[in-house]
Amino acid sequence: MRVVELFCGAGGMSLGLRRAGFELVQAYDAWDRAVDVYRTNLGPHASQADLKDIFTIGPRLAQIAPDLICGGPPCQDFSAAGQRQERENAALTRAFAMLVAVARPRWFVMENVTRALSSTAWSEARKMLVKAGYGLTECKLDASLYGVAQRRRRLIVIGKLGEADGFLQSAIRKAASESAMTVRDLFGDNSPEAIYVHPRMPGKKGLWSADEPAPTMRSSSRRPIPADYEPHPDDALLLEKGAFFTRPFHLGRGVRTLDEPAPAIIRTSRERPRPHYLKQPHPDDPVHPSEAAVLTQAQVSRIQGFPPDWDWSPGRTKRDIDQLIANAVPPPLAEAIGRVILAREAGETIPAIEGRFGQWLRRRGLSPQSVRNAKTRVNRARRLLAGRTFQDPAMEIAALERVGEFLSLPVKTQSDLRSALRLYREWLEEKAARLVRKASKAAPEPNEGTEVSAEAA
Ligand SMILES: C[S@@+](CC[C@H](N)C(=O)[O-])C[C@H]1O[C@@H](n2cnc3c(N)ncnc32)[C@H](O)[C@@H]1O
């Protein structure tokens, strides 16, 4: 599938999607340094452009006709930002939605801070996307459950033309690991992202990203990492200290052990502890902040999920590189999302039957066996539909009736499958109506999305 990324930054989301198997055909960002880092690492298809200029970019996208458009419009704290910033961000989130609506790719993926879910900007963008025909899966994901050593909660919205809302929810949930990835998982000997190739000269690199082309293999090349391998001195220090400091949010903890994920990386994550924090550290810090390692830029980049050999030098200043790293979608998170999309596109997964369908059928007097049959039939029909869902129930049945394998089934089986789909639809509609009634009784609540977090898991 061919991808265009809007607001591509240094390319975290693009890298993840490429690893999943997508082809990157175009990327845009307004910041020259972001574009330079992107081009150096991912190829010349990135261009500098102001995406507010939808009259120029829209027709270009329509011409490229990508299968998927992705992007993380700038968020800079929707709620914390000043009004001018909020207006600017709102304009860019709207620009993202307009560009998607103009180019009409089959899929889109948008990333943002979770607070965006209750912003006016997203609510307007959402309306545009729904009007343009997209079914939406909105989820709050914790990156530490998707191969990133960092508890970073982000809003991910996946849209596909013609689908029912929530069409990918269960597959995204299923892709999460049971436990969070820790900093030790990343820097320890069992790091899954690295392969060991015996260095030819002392002090030369021995650990290589599993994704980069390995150096020429020699007879001395071997896996796994031998016990006597010396990691980079900074990583050795981190492992030896067993704890690290990151600038705390508000009144939060500054020190964490290696056996937990890092907190969400921000531009100032690797600042040293300030005198007032050293004097009065957080009571739950596992060691005094003066004993904890201060992360290096290379380590922060790896915690954000970039490979060890990612070249940040075109970002020029330390401060800008810190910003580019902090802005990025962690590549392993993007890769996991990309794999879920490709699996659905290939018809390899189907949406799970949601919630209490079985109980609802039981209340209607169906026997346990009939309930099991109904569920099996819904799943069978959905497999025949290659996992596709439909906003309109009539379209769903019509699509099923165009599937050759369905037509070759006995008439009775065909009718059972149709009835099961209709029953399921009836239940979904009843459930939706109940939710609307509940919401209209309660005070208006912001859209909450589905949450996949370490706590929820
Ligand atoms: C959150 S970052 C995106 C990071 C990217 N998704 C990644 O994974 O690395 C937002 C990006 O939007 C860019 N940006 C801000 N205003 C823009 C505009 N008017 N047009 C294009 N890009 C803009 C910023 O330069 C920044 O790189």
Side-chain angles (χ1 to χ4, degrees):
M1 283 168 73
R2 299 164 67 252
V3 175
V4 170
E5 178 164 7
L6 308 177
F7 310 100
C8 64
M13 176 127 71
S14 280
L15 173 64
L17 291 178
R18 175 181 277 176
R19 282 176 176 174
F22 288 82
E23 183 195 352
L24 309 171
V25 291
Q26 180 65 56
Y28 295 108
D29 199 284
W31 190 11
D32 54 350
R33 293 186 181 186
V35 173
D36 290 347
V37 174
Y38 188 109
R39 290 169 70 100
T40 302
N41 291 280
L42 290 167
H45 56 272
S47 320
Q48 196 176 351
D50 181 350
L51 292 168
K52 281 200 294 295
D53 183 5
I54 51 174
F55 293 109
T56 306
I57 304 294
R60 276 195 222 159
L61 292 181
Q63 203 173 24
I64 299 170
D67 301 295
L68 183 148
I69 290 183
C70 65
C75 41
Q76 267 122 11
D77 283 342
F78 267 110
S79 58
Q83 276 206 349
R84 195 197 58 78
Q85 190 64 58
E86 163 92 50
R87 275 201 302 274
E88 173 98 341
N89 288 341
L92 293 170
T93 303
R94 267 198 306 272
F96 178 86
M98 282 180 199
L99 289 170
V100 169
V102 167
R104 286 179 67 78
R106 263 197 330 288
W107 293 82
F108 78 82
V109 178
M110 192 194 84
E111 181 260 3
N112 221 304
V113 291
T114 55
R115 272 194 297 272
L117 209 45
S118 47
S119 68
T120 328
W122 170 237
S123 124
E124 285 176 17
R126 191 182 190 283
K127 275 188 206 136
M128 269 185 243
L129 292 161
V130 168
K131 235 184 182 162
Y134 288 92
L136 305 179
T137 291
E138 292 161 280
C139 23
K140 294 182 205 166
L141 303 183
D142 176 349
S144 72
L145 299 178
Y146 295 87
V148 183
Q150 185 191 151
R151 213 178 282 299
R152 186 181 186 89
R153 289 171 72 249
R154 285 294 182 267
L155 167 67
I156 300 287
V157 183
I158 304 170
K160 189 176 177 210
L161 278 175
E163 296 280 329
D165 286 345
F167 66 100
L168 212 57
Q169 210 83 258
S170 56
I172 293 278
R173 230 180 283 134
K174 216 168 153 197
S177 59
E178 274 179 13
S179 53
M181 183 171 180
T182 68
V183 173
R184 194 185 299 285
D185 292 336
L186 179 65
F187 291 102
D189 286 355
N190 295 325
S191 160
E193 72 160 25
I195 54 169
Y196 176 81
V197 180
H198 196 66
R200 282 199 301 154
M201 281 184 287
K204 282 276 171 209
K205 169 159 116 162
L207 278 184
W208 293 71
S209 155
D211 293 296
E212 66 188 308
T216 316
M217 289 290 172
R218 300 188 170 78
S219 53
S220 58
S221 308
R222 52 200 157 127
R223 284 182 83 174
I225 303 166
D228 62 348
Y229 173 68
E230 298 283 331
H232 188 283
D234 293 337
D235 297 352
L237 183 72
L238 179 66
L239 290 166
E240 188 191 306
K241 293 210 169 214
F244 60 99
F245 176 83
T246 48
R247 188 179 168 182
F249 286 116
H250 306 300
L251 295 173
R253 198 149 57 98
V255 181
R256 283 172 174 73
T257 73
L258 296 188
D259 295 309
E260 29 184 344
I265 295 297
I266 54 171
R267 184 180 58 76
T268 49
S269 282
R270 60 190 190 86
E271 269 182 11
R272 301 184 164 276
R274 295 183 178 180
H276 73 268
Y277 191 86
L278 286 169
K279 235 188 266 164
Q280 211 175 9
H282 194 281
D284 295 337
D285 279 355
V287 298
H288 191 267
S290 58
E291 300 295 313
V294 173
L295 297 171
T296 63
Q297 194 167 60
Q299 288 168 342
V300 169
S301 158
R302 290 188 58 199
I303 289 174
Q304 190 67 305
F306 285 92
D309 64 330
W310 189 262
D311 184 358
W312 288 105
S313 61
R316 309 239 209 105
T317 67
K318 282 201 153 121
R319 187 191 159 92
D320 283 349
I321 296 172
D322 283 337
Q323 185 69 63
L324 288 163
I325 295 174
N327 279 354
V329 174
L333 174 63
E335 180 179 351
I337 294 165
R339 288 188 190 282
V340 170
I341 291 175
L342 287 179
R344 179 59 57 83
E345 183 73 0
E348 289 162 9
T349 64
I350 58 169
I353 291 181
E354 284 178 42
R356 307 205 166 103
F357 178 49
Q359 285 175 26
W360 181 78
L361 290 174
R362 290 283 288 145
R363 279 202 301 278
R364 294 179 61 143
L366 266 71
S367 70
Q369 184 55 49
S370 308
V371 170
R372 275 196 294 280
N373 289 346
K375 286 184 173 175
T376 308
R377 286 169 188 151
V378 171
N379 284 334
R380 186 168 180 193
R382 285 186 151 177
R383 272 195 299 277
L384 288 168
L385 287 166
R388 270 179 309 149
T389 60
F390 296 80
Q391 286 162 11
D392 178 347
M395 294 271 283
E396 187 165 45
I397 302 288
L400 189 63
E401 287 171 346
R402 283 197 300 273
V403 175
E405 202 183 327
F406 175 81
L407 295 173
S408 64
L409 294 171
V411 174
K412 162 87 172 65
T413 313
Q414 290 185 9
S415 134
D416 287 345
L417 294 186
R418 272 194 218 96
S419 310
L421 273 187
R422 285 198 189 103
L423 264 179
Y424 186 59
R425 184 61 84 148
E426 201 185 314
W427 176 72
L428 284 178
E429 278 164 10
E430 228 182 272
K431 194 174 117 185
R434 215 174 30 243
L435 282 178
V436 170
R437 275 199 305 276
K438 215 166 125 188
S440 66
K441 267 193 221 150
E445 270 184 24
N447 183 357
E448 276 300 310
T450 290
E451 175 130 14
V452 182
S453 65
E455 290 81 10

